[in-house]
Amino acid sequence: MKAQAFSYVRPATIAQALDAFAGADGAATYIAGGQSLVPAMALRLQAPELLIDIAHLAELRGIALDEDGGLRLGALTRHAEAHDDPLIAAHAPLLALAAPFVAHPAIRNRGTLGGSVALADPASEFPAMMLALGATIEVAGPEGTRRIAAEDFFQDLYQTTMEPGELLVAFHIPAARPGDRCVFDELARRRGDYALVGCGVKLAMPAGTVDEARIAFLAVGPIPTRARNAEDALAGTRLDAEGIRAAQAALGADLDPQDDDQVPGAMRLHLARVLLGRLLGRLASAP
Amino acid sequence: MTAPVAITLTVNGERLTRLAEPRETLADFLRRDLGLTGTHLGCEMGVCGACLVMLDGTPVHSCLSFAVQADGSAVETIEGLTESAAVTDLQQAFHERNALQCGFCTPGMLVTAQGLLARKASPSREEIRDALSGNYCRCTGYEAIVDAIETVARRRAASREELPA
């Protein structure tokens, strides 16, 4: 199918983009990479009257370290860049590890991190990895810019704390520390399919014991989910078999996947435990 | 405002200005307005990979982009890649290895292969398969396509070694 007719503008600044949205009486949508929006329009799931093309806004670009040593990722950073960029590899390796699981190569050449996170598809990789990385999300609106912790950003299925008309500008990610260990994987029926369950783990292990664990799952509920009980179970352990088993057991208090037409909820929880066990085992046996 | 707007882009090396309706995809623009029907449309939702073109040097789905978004960009279609001889060796290898039957997916396969080999000169078979994961072929079973791309990777590597320093 083809998209319904719409008008198109290409603003030169964030301010112009916000103005264009304000003038459209709620019937406008921003487009960046468009890799989710364009098919949704082709299927007539969405039919905006105005498309505001933000793909050329310099203010939304760039991958750089900021003054406090953290990483600033412009919202327009493409999935392929997340995979290849050396600064991302150094400070946000979970994004690079997750990138190959996002759709297919040609989609990754065009899709943006900002678009993926703003869409907040619970089966998407990058929203969950922003949780695991402890990212802060910078958003611009008519009242100025504000920063939202990833923890507070995801509200419900495709729902975030962004107000209509607000624009995702950048991600701020804390600098990596020596001894950080990261791993990502997912379980899917076929390569490139949406995951039955996916998980990213970031451990701070400067001296052989787990100082801090951050574990985030995708495709286990309406929003990407941190497994805080499993994190607590791991903290202080040496990532031995006992600690890993305790983390797997604790997942039952973190995740409550519902039955759906793919798999029963209990099976998804089982798969989450299997996946977490594999990931932690991989980290434990890594040199 | 939904009326056609003027866009200027470079297609296969030729700079041109045309009117495009905002709702027109880049794929439809290439096929209908420019007559470049080598870009094929299968699913129109970014799944099958038949519509891949090079946009500013990287493979993208022309069905997942509106033509107006490509204003100011450079597009290369299978016609341009053929005329510039950029993919002649790939086409030859596909032919030799029988890596196409109906041929509908082939333009997209060639764009993916060209994009892969530009990024990675000597990909493993696993990497080739991964690169092809967004290109559907319902005829060949992929084995011959992987063979053809692997062959070209080897040939290109060999010809680079033969070049005088």
Side-chain angles (χ1 to χ4, degrees):
Chain A
M1 281 193 43
K2 312 288 183 187
Q4 197 168 299
F6 58 86
S7 307
Y8 172 85
V9 292
R10 190 187 280 192
T13 62
I14 289 177
Q16 286 178 13
L18 297 174
D19 281 350
F21 192 95
D25 202 21
T29 299
Y30 297 118
I31 185 166
Q35 301 301 281
S36 297
L37 179 59
V38 177
M41 289 174 68
L43 294 166
R44 303 285 175 106
L45 299 171
Q46 288 193 57
E49 289 172 15
L50 173 67
L51 269 196
I52 303 168
D53 188 351
I54 56 170
H56 302 270
L57 296 182
E59 298 153 282
L60 307 190
R61 288 204 175 279
I63 303 169
L65 295 179
D66 51 29
E67 314 82 59
D68 56 8
L71 187 65
R72 180 196 184 274
L73 285 181
L76 290 174
T77 303
R78 298 193 189 278
H79 303 343
E81 292 177 272
H83 185 255
D84 295 335
D85 184 83
L87 274 178
I88 291 178
H91 292 284
L94 279 174
L95 298 179
L97 292 169
F101 292 87
V102 181
H104 303 293
I107 304 275
R108 299 199 288 268
N109 285 337
R110 196 129 168 89
T112 66
L113 292 189
S116 172
V117 172
L119 180 63
D121 184 328
S124 279
E125 287 79 5
F126 293 128
M129 293 312 96
M130 292 300 172
L131 271 187
L133 288 165
T136 306
I137 296 162
E138 182 184 335
V139 166
E143 313 295 320
T145 64
R146 62 190 181 111
R147 291 190 179 198
I148 308 158
E151 310 276 325
D152 304 322
F153 188 77
F154 304 104
Q155 297 288 301
D156 203 345
L157 198 64
Y158 300 108
Q159 296 289 319
T160 72
T161 51
M162 284 171 69
E163 298 291 332
E166 280 189 318
L167 197 54
L168 203 159
V169 175
F171 302 97
H172 298 273
I173 294 167
R177 293 158 299 189
D180 280 357
R181 299 189 190 181
C182 290
V183 65
F184 177 90
D185 207 348
E186 58 188 41
L187 300 174
R189 290 191 197 276
R190 295 178 304 182
R191 170 177 302 174
D193 268 6
Y194 277 101
L196 288 169
V197 58
C199 181
V201 179
K202 181 180 179 188
L203 300 182
M205 284 185 77
T209 54
V210 179
D211 273 11
E212 190 199 2
R214 294 183 71 98
I215 302 171
F217 280 91
L218 54 107
V220 291
I223 56 173
T225 307
R226 250 184 93 182
R228 292 176 183 278
N229 289 285
E231 292 174 0
D232 289 346
L234 270 187
T237 73
R238 301 189 63 82
L239 203 54
D240 47 19
E242 195 185 343
I244 292 175
R245 272 197 301 275
Q248 286 176 295
L251 268 190
D254 288 315
L255 310 179
D256 183 24
Q258 302 299 301
D259 294 350
D260 62 24
D261 53 9
Q262 280 199 303
V263 291
M267 177 175 165
R268 212 178 279 266
L269 177 59
H270 169 75
L271 292 174
R273 284 198 167 110
V274 169
L275 181 59
L276 182 62
R278 283 185 194 168
L279 292 177
L280 295 176
R282 233 179 270 169
L283 285 181
S285 59
Chain B
M1 278 284 282
T2 58
V5 294
I7 58 172
T8 300
L9 63 169
T10 303
V11 179
N12 297 332
E14 188 183 339
R15 194 171 162 82
L16 47 88
T17 300
R18 290 283 191 286
L19 290 172
E21 269 185 78
R23 69 189 288 248
E24 189 174 28
T25 63
L26 179 59
D28 284 336
F29 176 78
L30 293 169
R31 289 176 55 83
R32 296 197 300 218
D33 298 28
L34 304 185
L36 296 170
T37 52
T39 297
H40 291 166
L41 267 174
C43 67
E44 295 190 88
M45 49 190 275
V47 175
C48 76
C51 72
L52 292 183
V53 298
M54 293 287 186
L55 180 68
D56 296 326
T58 51
V60 304
H61 294 87
S62 57
C63 78
L64 290 190
S65 184
F66 295 111
V68 287
Q69 290 175 272
D71 186 16
S73 297
V75 177
E76 271 186 291
T77 68
I78 190 60
E79 289 89 347
L81 293 168
T82 301
E83 201 167 310
S84 70
V87 294
T88 304
D89 52 356
L90 281 164
Q91 289 165 322
Q92 183 67 28
F94 270 56
H95 182 187
E96 285 166 7
R97 183 59 187 84
N98 223 20
L100 66 157
Q101 289 174 35
C102 84
F104 188 84
C105 71
T106 310
M109 291 287 178
L110 293 170
V111 171
T112 288
Q114 183 70 357
L116 171 68
L117 296 181
R119 272 171 46 86
K120 183 134 194 151
S122 302
S124 66
R125 289 182 73 82
E126 192 61 20
E127 287 167 328
I128 294 171
R129 285 191 173 278
D130 198 52
L132 292 173
S133 65
N135 289 82
Y136 283 11
C137 172
R138 303 289 77 162
C139 301
T140 64
Y142 302 99
E143 198 65 21
I145 296 173
V146 176
D147 288 346
I149 295 171
E150 191 182 33
T151 300
V152 170
R154 287 212 198 96
R155 285 180 188 160
R156 287 188 186 180
S159 71
R160 271 191 300 275
E161 277 166 23
E162 281 167 18
L163 286 175

